[in-house]
Amino acid sequence: MSSSATAPTIDTALIDIVKVTKTYPPDIMALDEVSLTVGHGEMLFLTGASGAGKTTLLKLLCFLETPTMGLIEIDKRDIGKLSGHKLQQMRQHIGVAYQDFRLLPKQTVYQNIALAMEVRYENPKFIKQRVVELLADLGLTDKIHTPTAKLSRGEQQRVSIARACANRPPLILADEPSGNLDPAATSLVMNLFHRLNEEGTTIIIATHDQTLYQKSPHRLLNLENGKLQEIIKVNFDLS
Amino acid sequence: MRYLSFIFGQLARNFRHGWTSQVMTLFTVSLSVLIFSFFFLIYVNMEKASSRLGNELRLIVSLEQEVPTAFRPEFKKKITDFAKVDKIVFISREEAFARLSKQLGRDSDILEDLDPSFLPYTVEIFPAGDLKSLTRIKDFSDYLGSLPGAVKVQYGQEWLERFGYFISLLRMIVILSGSLLILTSVFMVSYTIRLTLESRQEELEILRFLGATDRYIRGPVIVEGFLLGLLGACSGLLSLFFLFQWIKNHFSGPGFLNFFELSFLPLANSGSIFLIALLLCTCGSLISIRKYLKV
Ligand SMILES: Nc1ncnc2c1ncn2[C@@H]1O[C@H](COP(=O)(O)OP(=O)(O)OP(=O)(O)O)[C@@H](O)[C@H]1O
Ligand SMILES: [Mg+2]
């Protein structure tokens, strides 16, 4: 196995999840004592049946939900203790492609992607350049001024992925990034992810899509009924 | 600089998405400013008129007999002991008679067969400027009436009293309408801004997810409130000015209004109305955004 597939040691860890349990009311146990360490610059796949808790785990990492029990550290900081300005700054450094996209329907593709950079007060010229670049990468160049409500699901999905990548954040969380995409579009997205990963971005991808991880050397984790286990892949590509 | 350009970019975007409510707020603010400053304008003019009236005020004391020249200084001293006085004029029967015949003009021939002795000796007293309030004038008049030899004191009591009541009524109206209008405009401004925020709730939520800071969200909203106040106050005061010009042009000439010599709000007053409107609109927007800044 390649070096990137081995679990990181604590001092290189970007994310440290320790015995995290999440229950939704009334008593739905979405995550059950999950522990996971993710290293700087790692790419990681998260699989599991529908309802296994993948989205829940990602939501915990981007502050959309708080754990019922347990500890989550990002960059050695207990994220349960972040609030106000610190929390918002942390959010600026995590790119999230939500399963339900969370785009602004009335605003254009350009505006939706630019927003992620505007909240960081980036240079307008830079923003423009970056949006054009991302849209070219994802095959959406001709949709730049279309309101996102008028896009197909697959196009909306790519816009949300472009927004997640816009700031070149150190951490990207992608929830079912190929859920609505054909193989060609999927490979555009994965190429982008791989490129960012090579530049040092840590990426966590939750997916049902075997083609995404089958041939990749990266770690694969499986969630089942809220319990996390690592899958050791038999890698056919090993020479 | 970049922060400002972001604020104005967002402002333009918000306006494109919800200009109706913004225009409504603007309308409310200018109407409130107009109504309040209109009452205030009337009040200011009334006050002015009443002080002018005070300057023209004189008390006429009728006497049983003429005050001999030798006693006049003592008589004057008695008066000035009670209140400051600009001028005291002793009027003989002959002078009074001459005045009366002048007032009658062409009808003065009815006086021909009369002797000036039917007229009383009088003293005219012009109180100094600080004798303004009605009760003080009353006290003064009572005092004058108690002077030896005084028969009657006249100063247009009834008219003055009515005018005094009118002024205090007007003062009440200005204060009441002012506070009500301030309340309504604060309410309206914060309400419409809240409406725009509510329609933008989804957007604010997404901004939150993307890591927008309080400053980023608050900035455009405050600037929006500020601009609403600025434009609203300006257009309110401008409409008042045009309304004032119109009234002045249409009702000038001889008559009641001419006596008041209408004048516009002094700069200090219109300036403070302007500043208050600005402050209230900005505060209104601050208050309404507060709810949304809690993560
Ligand atoms: N807000 C919520 N309130 C109550 N229950 C919830 C909530 N969100 C998720 N759940 C439940 O928690 C469990 C895990 O949900 P989650 O969305 O994490 O699954 P998932 O692995 O992402 O599924 P999918 O592959 O379909 O996206 C499910 O049983 C779901 O019904
Ligand atoms: Mg999910």
Side-chain angles (χ1 to χ4, degrees):
Chain A
M1 300 218 34
S2 82
S3 64
S4 63
T6 53
T9 59
I10 296 300
D11 37 296
T12 61
L14 174 65
I15 302 173
D16 213 1
I17 301 174
V18 184
K19 289 202 170 180
V20 164
T21 298
K22 175 70 186 176
T23 51
Y24 289 110
D27 57 351
I28 301 161
M29 175 87 82
L31 292 175
D32 186 5
E33 296 213 339
V34 168
S35 293
L36 171 66
T37 302
V38 182
H40 275 285
E42 200 184 348
M43 187 154 174
L44 192 103
F45 291 95
L46 198 61
T47 63
S50 185
K54 302 183 294 293
T55 299
T56 302
L57 187 59
L58 296 187
K59 277 184 175 169
L60 292 178
L61 289 176
C62 64
F63 320 99
L64 284 189
E65 296 284 356
T66 49
T68 317
M69 275 191 289
L71 170 81
I72 300 178
E73 282 186 352
I74 297 181
D75 222 8
K76 309 264 185 305
R77 268 176 293 183
D78 179 355
I79 64 169
K81 290 195 178 124
L82 287 178
S83 67
H85 193 69
K86 287 251 167 59
L87 173 66
Q88 292 309 105
Q89 258 180 347
M90 182 71 107
R91 278 179 155 155
Q92 290 178 9
H93 290 96
I94 303 177
V96 190
Y98 300 93
Q99 193 169 10
D100 51 358
F101 312 149
R102 301 194 189 219
L103 300 172
L104 292 166
K106 280 188 207 152
Q107 303 202 2
T108 64
V109 170
Y110 179 85
Q111 286 167 336
N112 268 279
I113 299 172
L115 210 54
M117 293 177 271
E118 281 173 5
V119 298
R120 286 168 53 141
Y121 303 108
E122 298 285 4
N123 183 330
K125 245 188 219 153
F126 167 78
I127 293 178
K128 179 135 202 188
Q129 190 189 328
R130 182 75 179 133
V131 173
V132 169
E133 187 182 297
L134 281 165
L135 291 181
D137 285 346
L138 295 174
L140 285 173
T141 302
D142 52 336
K143 305 286 183 195
I144 186 162
H145 294 305
T146 313
T148 53
K150 294 202 175 126
L151 298 178
S152 74
R153 300 278 297 162
E155 287 163 341
Q156 288 177 2
Q157 182 140 44
R158 277 176 284 163
V159 174
S160 93
I161 290 166
R163 189 180 61 187
C165 301
N167 288 316
R168 297 181 196 276
L171 174 62
I172 292 177
L173 309 174
D175 200 350
E176 303 282 0
S178 63
N180 299 280
L181 301 182
D182 60 25
T186 303
S187 77
L188 287 179
V189 170
M190 288 313 289
N191 283 343
L192 178 62
F193 282 159
H194 282 300
R195 212 158 358 106
L196 287 169
N197 182 233
E198 272 157 29
E199 289 168 15
T201 308
T202 307
I203 303 180
I204 301 178
I205 300 170
T207 184
H208 293 289
D209 188 349
Q210 292 192 18
T211 59
L212 294 192
Y213 54 80
Q214 234 167 19
K215 287 181 187 164
S216 103
H218 302 290
R219 271 209 292 168
L220 174 65
L221 297 156
N222 187 56
L223 265 172
E224 207 176 312
N225 292 325
K227 290 215 182 281
L228 187 73
Q229 66 201 130
E230 185 149 356
I231 294 179
I232 308 298
K233 282 180 292 181
V234 182
N235 203 326
F236 300 104
D237 283 350
L238 271 176
S239 46
Chain B
M1 236 2 256
R2 190 177 299 169
Y3 182 56
L4 275 185
S5 80
F6 268 118
I7 284 185
F8 284 103
Q10 257 188 310
L11 224 53
R13 207 181 297 164
N14 294 351
F15 187 75
R16 239 176 288 138
H17 285 148
W19 60 271
T20 34
S21 65
Q22 257 108 327
V23 170
M24 281 306 292
T25 321
L26 189 62
F27 189 69
T28 318
V29 174
S30 14
L31 206 64
S32 309
V33 169
L34 174 63
I35 297 173
F36 175 70
S37 52
F38 182 70
F39 280 124
F40 199 76
L41 179 70
I42 295 178
Y43 174 69
V44 166
N45 276 292
M46 283 292 185
E47 283 273 85
K48 244 192 200 160
S50 89
S51 75
R52 204 173 300 138
L53 215 64
N55 291 341
E56 281 168 25
L57 179 79
R58 57 182 162 180
L59 294 100
I60 300 165
V61 185
S62 311
L63 301 169
E64 277 169 355
Q65 59 192 74
E66 189 164 23
V67 182
T69 323
F71 290 104
R72 283 186 184 179
E74 196 190 330
F75 190 81
K76 276 185 180 172
K77 194 178 172 306
K78 267 186 189 159
I79 294 172
T80 49
D81 276 350
F82 188 87
K84 256 198 199 146
V85 164
D86 276 344
K87 201 164 59 164
I88 299 176
V89 183
F90 292 88
I91 294 171
S92 65
R93 281 180 166 159
E94 287 68 29
E95 278 169 315
F97 191 80
R99 231 190 241 183
L100 185 62
S101 92
K102 201 176 169 196
Q103 272 170 4
L104 286 171
R106 282 174 52 204
D107 297 326
S108 62
D109 45 343
I110 57 165
L111 294 175
E112 245 165 50
D113 299 332
L114 290 171
D115 186 77
S117 63
F118 80 97
L119 287 166
Y121 293 103
T122 56
V123 184
E124 285 186 356
I125 297 150
F126 296 83
D130 64 331
L131 192 69
K132 283 284 156 57
S133 90
L134 204 59
T135 43
R136 285 277 292 148
I137 295 174
K138 242 182 196 161
D139 289 346
F140 192 36
S141 133
D142 288 347
Y143 173 76
L144 293 175
S146 72
L147 288 177
V151 180
K152 198 167 71 173
V153 185
Q154 280 175 300
Y155 59 91
Q157 291 92 326
E158 225 172 89
W159 203 85
L160 262 184
E161 241 161 68
R162 280 207 198 130
F163 193 73
Y165 285 137
F166 186 55
I167 290 275
S168 44
L169 185 69
L170 206 64
R171 191 178 295 136
M172 281 285 285
I173 289 177
V174 168
I175 290 170
L176 273 181
S177 74
S179 27
L180 281 179
L181 284 166
I182 284 171
L183 278 181
T184 33
S185 38
V186 169
F187 176 76
M188 280 300 292
V189 169
S190 63
Y191 181 73
T192 34
I193 287 186
R194 196 172 305 155
L195 268 190
T196 20
L197 285 178
E198 238 149 61
S199 69
R200 286 180 58 209
Q201 190 153 27
E202 192 193 21
E203 186 187 342
L204 288 177
E205 215 166 86
I206 287 172
L207 278 172
R208 276 300 186 195
F209 296 154
L210 294 175
T213 55
D214 285 358
R215 193 171 79 127
Y216 182 88
I217 294 176
R218 207 192 281 127
V221 176
I222 291 177
V223 174
E224 189 177 309
F226 179 83
L227 285 180
L228 277 176
L230 187 79
L231 291 177
C234 277
S235 60
L237 286 173
L238 270 182
S239 347
L240 180 71
F241 183 73
F242 288 122
L243 187 69
F244 171 77
Q245 291 295 346
W246 185 81
I247 290 176
K248 211 175 165 186
N249 292 338
H250 279 253
F251 294 93
S252 60
F256 174 75
L257 279 169
N258 196 37
F259 163 74
F260 285 106
E261 248 178 76
L262 289 178
S263 60
F264 196 64
L265 287 180
L267 199 65
N269 285 336
S270 35
S272 29
I273 290 178
F274 181 81
L275 283 182
I276 287 171
L278 210 61
L279 200 72
L280 287 178
C281 288
T282 317
C283 288
S285 59
L286 252 178
I287 290 165
S288 54
I289 187 78
R290 262 206 0 225
K291 190 176 121 197
Y292 292 90
L293 292 182
K294 288 172 194 139
V295 188

